[in-house]
Amino acid sequence: MNFVYYSEKTVSQCMLALNERLHQKSGKLDGWVEKSGNFSISTTTTVLRRFSRSTRLSGHVSKENGVTVVRGYVSDGADPQNRYIIYGILLVLGVVLALAGYLLIGLAIIAVILPLNIPLEGDYINSSTLTGEVQRTLKAKASLPAALRKAASKKTDKRDGARSASSGGKTYR
C-alpha cells in the first residue's frame, strides 16, 4: 500500500521525532532514519499464536511546495473478509482438482491455506500499526493542513477572478 501524508512539521523535525520514537524503551518498533529524509520502521506480531511476522514500512519525508510530504510503502496484507474469500477460492479449486483426478495438486493447494494466512494476517495487523505510528509521531494526516488548504483556495479564487476580468466580465469554463 502506497501512502501520502502531510505534516506541519519540518523535514528535520520529522526525522528527529522518528529517531526519538525508534529509541524509546517500548521495543515495539525497529528501524533507521537518515537526515536526507529516508526512513524505515518495522514491527513484529504473532500470528496463529505461534508464528512471528515482521512487516517493514519504508518512506521518505520531503518538502514540496512549502508542505512537508511523507510518502511511503508498506505491505498491507488482507482484511479478514478478503482472507476468507481467498481461502474459499483455494478450497474450491483444490476440491475440484482432486475430483478431476489431480489429487496431489488439489491437496497441495488446500495445504497452502494455512501458511498463506501468516503473511496476509500479519501484514494486515502490522501495516495499520506502522502507519498509525507514522501519523502519530509526525502529526501527519492524509489531507492537507487547514492553513494550506485555505491558501490554495485563495490562489485559485484570485486566478478565477483574473480570468473573468480579462475576458470582459464573461467567465468561460
Side-chain angles (χ1 to χ4, degrees):
M1 164 180 79
N2 290 317
F3 62 86
V4 177
Y5 297 135
Y6 303 95
S7 177
E8 293 182 4
K9 292 184 174 190
T10 65
V11 174
S12 60
Q13 288 172 336
C14 288
M15 295 296 96
L16 184 62
L18 279 171
N19 196 30
E20 287 176 2
R21 179 64 184 100
L22 288 173
H23 289 94
Q24 285 181 350
K25 293 186 178 182
S26 67
K28 184 177 173 183
L29 297 176
D30 189 27
W32 50 266
V33 176
E34 293 178 350
K35 289 181 182 178
S36 65
N38 295 321
F39 68 94
S40 180
I41 57 176
S42 66
T43 190
T44 302
T45 192
T46 303
V47 180
L48 299 174
R49 298 183 186 169
R50 183 176 178 182
F51 303 100
S52 294
R53 174 65 181 178
S54 294
T55 306
R56 181 164 296 280
L57 179 147
S58 299
H60 181 77
V61 180
S62 62
K63 199 78 156 175
E64 297 176 12
N65 298 326
V67 181
T68 303
V69 180
V70 182
R71 296 182 192 278
Y73 173 81
V74 63
S75 178
D76 60 346
D79 65 354
Q81 181 179 359
N82 289 336
R83 285 196 308 264
Y84 296 140
I85 291 170
I86 292 168
Y87 304 152
I89 291 170
L90 289 174
L91 184 64
V92 168
L93 182 63
V95 169
V96 167
L97 285 172
L99 293 175
Y102 300 100
L103 182 63
L104 290 178
I105 295 172
L107 292 175
I109 289 175
I110 293 171
V112 165
I113 293 173
L114 185 62
L116 183 62
N117 186 58
I118 297 167
L120 290 178
E121 183 178 351
D123 286 349
Y124 177 73
I125 295 167
N126 290 340
S127 66
S128 62
T129 301
L130 291 170
T131 55
E133 285 293 332
V134 167
Q135 285 183 307
R136 189 174 320 118
T137 302
L138 303 181
K139 295 181 181 169
K141 296 181 180 171
S143 60
L144 280 170
L148 296 172
R149 265 186 275 142
K150 290 178 185 176
S153 67
K154 285 181 183 178
K155 286 181 183 177
T156 55
D157 289 344
K158 288 180 183 178
R159 290 181 190 151
D160 288 344
R163 285 187 194 132
S164 62
S166 65
S167 61
K170 297 179 185 176
T171 304
Y172 299 101
R173 292 184 190 228

